[in-house]
Amino acid sequence: MNSNAETRKWKEADVPDQSGRVAIVTGANTGIGYQTAAVLAYSGAHVVLAVRDLAKGNAALSRIVAASPGADVTLQALDLSSLDSVRAAADALRSAYPRIDLLINNAGVMLTPKQVTKDGFELQFGTNHLGHFALTGLLLDHLLPVRGSRVVTVSSMGHRLRAAIHFDDLQWERSYNRMAAYAQSKLANLLFTYELQRRLSARPVKDNGTIAVAAHPGSSNTELTRNLPWFIKPVVDVFGPMLSQSAAMGALPTLRAATDPAVQGGQYYGPAGIGQQRGHPKLVDSSAQSHDEDLQRRLWAVSEELTGVTFPV
């Protein structure tokens, strides 16, 4: 943590040349996802914007190409709140890309009123965790043969707030608390990352070194705050700009997790500032609960059961 790599400020210019790499970024039409996809495209990657709203996705694609006419960007419909959509997107991506270098599980919803997905899952858990769990499982065999491939999942500082995996009521059918439900989904992102990394590390053949890494953006100015409760939103509207950072800065932990050659499997990156609210990215710690291996294994088994997706590791 005191190495030169950690004390200096890692920035967008540190992203290595990505030419020849294929990167899939979920939720890439806005916010952190857009900034991540744009930088990867500017760095030479072929970037797939995997988005629910194709009109917004096309607008994002146009902005990237306008800023960098040589950018190689395509669009893929993906609604993470529908397992049918996840499977259809995975089929299309597998057909189009025999090799995938980066899968960036970025899309998410935050603090939504009580809603369910098309498959009957609580919306935040179903979208933020189960949708990405299924997508990763369906695409992973196209990453495993690729040297240096990575699965990067975006979590949140919210994984510490009232966080637990409510196995007795995963879908919040008895009662609903939007903050606790969000925290459950973000804790699930980390439990998933660490369990996936352990399974990848246990593979008999590890020459290509596919790894699973996590990141969080700190407090960033994005559309995720649109579902804040009415009594909190005015405070955030007034003080948020002073406390938060731009989406471009918020994307740096994800970009570092995805591209820094020094990154190792099972690591977690976030802003270096006070409380990990803002700043340049560094290696950070997650909660003790997120490292509970029994919890990781139990959530993995339940996620396989709920999605019907098993992994090739």
Side-chain angles (χ1 to χ4, degrees):
M1 298 286 275
N2 293 321
S3 67
N4 290 335
E6 289 298 337
T7 55
R8 74 175 184 83
K9 294 180 178 180
W10 195 95
K11 51 194 181 300
E12 182 180 316
D14 291 309
V15 174
D17 180 24
Q18 299 295 298
S19 298
R21 306 191 86 198
V22 173
I24 298 167
V25 184
T26 70
N29 60 295
T30 188
I32 304 300
Y34 171 79
Q35 296 294 336
T36 299
V39 172
L40 290 172
Y42 301 155
S43 302
H46 172 80
V47 180
V48 181
L49 312 181
V51 300
R52 182 176 59 85
D53 188 321
L54 291 178
K56 290 182 178 179
N58 271 310
L61 187 154
S62 297
R63 291 200 305 274
I64 293 172
V65 173
S68 179
D72 186 5
V73 191
T74 57
L75 204 61
Q76 173 60 53
L78 171 66
D79 181 354
L80 288 160
S81 68
S82 164
L83 289 176
D84 284 344
S85 175
V86 171
R87 289 182 181 279
D91 285 346
L93 291 166
R94 288 169 59 88
S95 176
Y97 305 106
R99 54 166 288 154
I100 299 170
D101 297 81
L102 294 174
L103 173 59
I104 299 181
N105 293 323
N106 161 82
V109 293
M110 182 175 80
L111 304 181
T112 54
K114 178 65 185 294
Q115 298 176 61
V116 296
T117 70
K118 294 177 177 64
D119 303 286
F121 306 134
E122 186 276 317
L123 183 62
Q124 297 183 88
F125 185 68
T127 302
N128 299 351
H129 169 60
L130 291 175
H132 280 130
F133 178 93
L135 181 67
T136 304
L138 293 167
L139 294 179
L140 190 60
D141 62 355
H142 282 224
L143 283 96
L144 291 176
V146 180
R147 186 173 299 279
S149 59
R150 299 181 186 184
V151 176
V152 180
T153 300
V154 179
S155 183
S156 164
M157 293 184 296
H159 86 275
R160 299 178 183 272
L161 303 175
R162 303 188 61 182
I165 304 298
H166 299 265
F167 288 107
D168 61 338
D169 189 17
L170 277 174
Q171 313 309 334
W172 299 84
E173 294 170 320
R174 292 202 293 268
S175 64
Y176 182 69
N177 179 288
R178 65 174 75 186
M179 183 66 244
Y182 177 68
Q184 173 177 260
S185 73
K186 294 288 102 179
L187 174 60
N189 288 152
L190 286 166
L191 294 166
F192 163 62
T193 296
Y194 298 150
E195 176 64 17
L196 176 57
Q197 177 57 35
R198 184 166 53 251
R199 290 169 177 248
L200 290 168
S201 298
R203 293 179 67 223
V205 179
K206 294 178 283 188
D207 291 343
N208 292 315
T210 304
I211 60 173
V213 194
H216 81 84
S219 295
S220 299
N221 186 15
T222 71
E223 292 182 7
L224 268 183
T225 57
R226 62 184 176 272
N227 292 309
L228 287 173
W230 65 268
F231 56 89
I232 295 177
K233 198 171 190 310
V235 177
V236 173
D237 288 344
V238 172
F239 295 103
M242 292 182 284
L243 300 175
S244 64
Q245 60 186 356
S246 67
M249 281 295 295
L252 289 181
T254 300
L255 286 164
R256 185 170 186 182
T259 68
D260 186 341
V263 168
Q264 298 176 24
Q267 290 184 330
Y268 184 39
Y269 285 83
I274 296 174
Q276 298 176 26
Q277 295 283 331
R278 53 193 298 166
H280 292 263
K282 72 169 186 175
L283 189 62
V284 296
D285 295 324
S286 61
S287 68
Q289 187 176 198
S290 70
H291 291 284
D292 184 328
E293 293 187 6
D294 290 337
L295 196 59
Q296 293 164 12
R297 293 188 183 97
R298 186 178 180 190
L299 177 64
W300 187 281
V302 169
S303 301
E304 285 188 330
E305 180 181 346
L306 292 174
T307 63
V309 174
T310 57
F311 280 58
V313 292

